[in-house]
Amino acid sequence: MTPTIVLPLMIGGIYAAGVYLLLDRSLTRVLLGFLLLGNATNLLVLSAGGPAGLAPILGYADPEQFNDPLPHALVLTAIVITFGVAAFLLAIIHRSWRLARNEAVGTDEEDRRVAARKAPDADELDPDELAPEDRIAGHADSLAGDLEELADDVDLPAGSGTR
């Protein structure tokens, strides 16, 4: 059997279509892109398994004529995993539709704010110079109100807190 260029081109086209669909904001298209990627990977594994041969379980041929069962086992496992992930994505799509009547992923303004923020050098970072909303949780200046409300310890009498 002579190798042809049709199967690799078909696998590459399916991979390209799957990646294109994965990059969309619609969760339905993301699901379809994931399914295409799974099918392209299954075709790739089967084509990498070599030429067709006889079933090794029958035992009426020479071992050189046997087909390798490992790619088939890997593809069956990949089909089951793809089915499980697809079911999970369908549940997410259904939940998104039930909550917002929209299955497209929206723009997160907080992510944009964090991405636009100038990244400080870790050596030059001083928590006291940061804006209050950018400070880490538990920083001394992030505790609002009187410390008398927080003093419920036996060793710390109320009103003895210092700032």
Side-chain angles (χ1 to χ4, degrees), residues 75-141:
V75 167
L76 283 175
T77 305
I79 289 171
V80 171
I81 292 171
T82 303
F83 180 75
V85 174
F88 179 70
L89 281 172
L90 277 173
I92 290 175
I93 292 169
H94 177 70
R95 181 72 175 161
S96 174
W97 179 256
R98 294 280 305 231
L99 289 177
R101 291 287 179 217
N102 188 7
E103 51 96 25
V105 178
T107 303
D108 191 4
E109 295 301 325
E110 181 66 18
D111 282 345
R112 286 189 174 192
R113 187 187 71 80
V114 169
R117 189 171 55 182
K118 178 186 167 275
D121 188 13
D123 294 332
E124 299 171 3
L125 184 64
D126 186 12
D128 295 327
E129 295 175 2
L130 290 174
E133 62 269 8
D134 291 335
R135 291 186 184 149
I136 59 172
H139 187 265
D141 293 340

Side-chain angles (χ1 to χ4, degrees), residues 22 29 77:
L22 273 179
R29 289 186 181 209
T77 305

Side-chain angles (χ1 to χ4, degrees), residues 3-18:
T4 63
I5 194 73
V6 174
L7 190 60
L9 284 178
M10 190 169 62
I11 292 170
I14 295 174
Y15 267 122

